[in-house]
Amino acid sequence: MKTRHVVGGLCLLAVPFLAAAAGGAHEHGVARLSLVQEGTTITLGFESPLDSLVGFEHAPRTDAQKQALQKARAALENAATAVTLPAAAACVVSAVTVDMPFGDTAHDGHDDHDTHADAEAEYVFECAQPAALDTVTIGLFQAFPRLQRIDAEAATAAGQGKAVLRPAQATWSLPAAR
Ligand SMILES: [Zn+2]
């Protein structure tokens, strides 16, 4: 759970969201996104059921499934297309971490037929002008057509905010500085 990153800045309003997340909400077609600003550092955490990305949640059994996992990993690792930040914020990627289940090896002991699996990605940006960070546009809907909704939560210097992003509404308006 990447939501652990926002715990330090949470207000009470955000607790129901975390309670639901802690309860293991795993809904196919729905992913979660968190954005935390700490000074000039912006960290985005993305967590999705694997089904929403590749259409299955078991260890790959065919070459097509192995390729689907590799393609999904590559799409998540491509921060430039996954997340677009305003040019005025002058952000550069400093780290990308992708955690995909089942790895790249065929037999890693995770072939559980009745369980779910999640994929996670974390993007860390350094932004010279973080005050200009008013929107985030998510490109993951294009990469993953099965993804229908992203529940997003932000904690920035300007405040806290939540949003529901969808393929037709993939730009997230962050809490505005006042
Ligand atoms: Zn599942």
Side-chain angles (χ1 to χ4, degrees):
M1 273 306 302
K2 296 305 182 192
T3 46
R4 69 179 184 271
H5 293 294
V6 304
V7 166
L10 277 180
C11 64
L12 290 175
L13 289 174
V15 169
F17 173 88
L18 275 190
H26 172 105
E27 184 179 348
H28 292 183
V30 180
R32 281 194 286 275
L33 181 71
S34 64
L35 181 151
V36 176
Q37 177 195 355
E38 294 168 286
T40 58
T41 302
I42 305 295
T43 302
L44 286 122
F46 174 78
E47 180 184 28
S48 171
L50 186 62
D51 181 88
S52 305
L53 308 184
V54 299
F56 59 90
E57 294 191 339
H58 52 71
R61 297 172 190 141
T62 65
D63 286 343
Q65 289 173 345
K66 288 173 190 168
Q67 287 167 11
L69 284 175
Q70 288 169 2
K71 192 177 162 194
R73 171 183 283 278
L76 289 173
E77 286 177 342
N78 189 344
T81 57
V83 179
T84 303
L85 303 176
C91 301
V92 294
V93 179
S94 64
V96 177
T97 307
V98 174
D99 183 10
M100 291 283 287
F102 313 121
D104 297 319
T105 56
H107 299 98
D108 59 1
H110 288 274
D111 195 1
D112 299 320
H113 297 274
D114 297 326
T115 59
H116 291 282
D118 291 288
E120 296 183 8
E122 185 176 83
Y123 308 94
V124 182
F125 295 87
E126 288 296 328
C127 301
Q129 303 293 335
L133 194 76
D134 53 359
T135 61
V136 177
T137 298
I138 304 303
L140 295 167
F141 291 112
Q142 275 90 46
F144 302 110
R146 297 176 68 88
L147 190 58
Q148 290 303 305
R149 193 179 99 210
I150 297 176
D151 293 337
E153 187 176 54
T156 73
Q160 315 228 344
K162 285 200 242 183
V164 174
L165 308 178
R166 297 184 183 278
Q169 179 52 49
T171 295
W172 180 11
S173 294
L174 296 174
R178 295 177 197 87

